[in-house]
Amino acid sequence: PLFMGCYGLGVSRLVAALVEVHHQGDSIRWPVAVAPCTAAVLSLGGGDLLSAEQVAAHAQGVFGAQEVILDDRLDISPAVRLRDAELLGFPFVLIVSPRNDQKGVVEVRTRWPDAQCRLIPKLELPSALLSLWQDAGTHGPAGAQPMQW
């Protein structure tokens, strides 16, 4: 039989320790393995919401359905939404905007292992996200295959 004991080291202390060790300035920088959500998809500058939903669907194909948040709060400025995504510490932020749509790319901001910003062609997005996810210190699901655009 297994017995559970309480020695003062609960979930709340573990989360506090993670935040203390992995914060960056005044925002959280969640490790990918313990992040509440892996990615946020933001539609900025009056970008096509349908395009953002497509990007979110492909990100869900890589990260899993419960791991992606679509920020469609169009009544809030893009700067506030970007700041919210940074404060919440999403390991990946995918940005859809009219300018990027014209170029056929999605802006991907990563926080692990280092903060970087990349423009990834939409056709290469699933495989690029899987590669970035693996580089960030986690491995995709067994036998994970990127979805086709």
Side-chain angles (χ1 to χ4, degrees), residues 22 91 124 146:
H22 296 293
E124 299 172 13

Side-chain angles (χ1 to χ4, degrees), residues 4-89:
M4 178 158 178
C6 180
Y7 302 101
L9 187 62
V11 174
S12 58
R13 285 196 182 185
L14 291 174
V15 171
L18 278 168
V19 171
E20 182 66 29
V21 171
H22 296 293
H23 74 284
Q24 184 176 32
D26 60 350
S27 64
I28 302 170
R29 201 176 125 206
W30 289 109
V32 176
V34 296
C37 287
T38 305
V41 178
L42 283 66
S43 176
L44 302 183
D48 183 11
L49 192 57
L50 179 61
S51 182
E53 289 172 350
Q54 289 173 340
V55 169
H58 287 287
Q60 287 174 343
V62 174
F63 299 130
Q66 303 299 320
E67 300 291 325
V68 179
I69 290 180
L70 174 61
D71 187 349
D72 58 356
R73 301 176 296 165
L74 301 177
D75 56 329
I76 297 176
S77 74
V80 170
R81 289 188 285 149
L82 283 167
R83 182 69 179 143
D84 285 350
E86 181 180 325
L87 285 172
L88 292 172

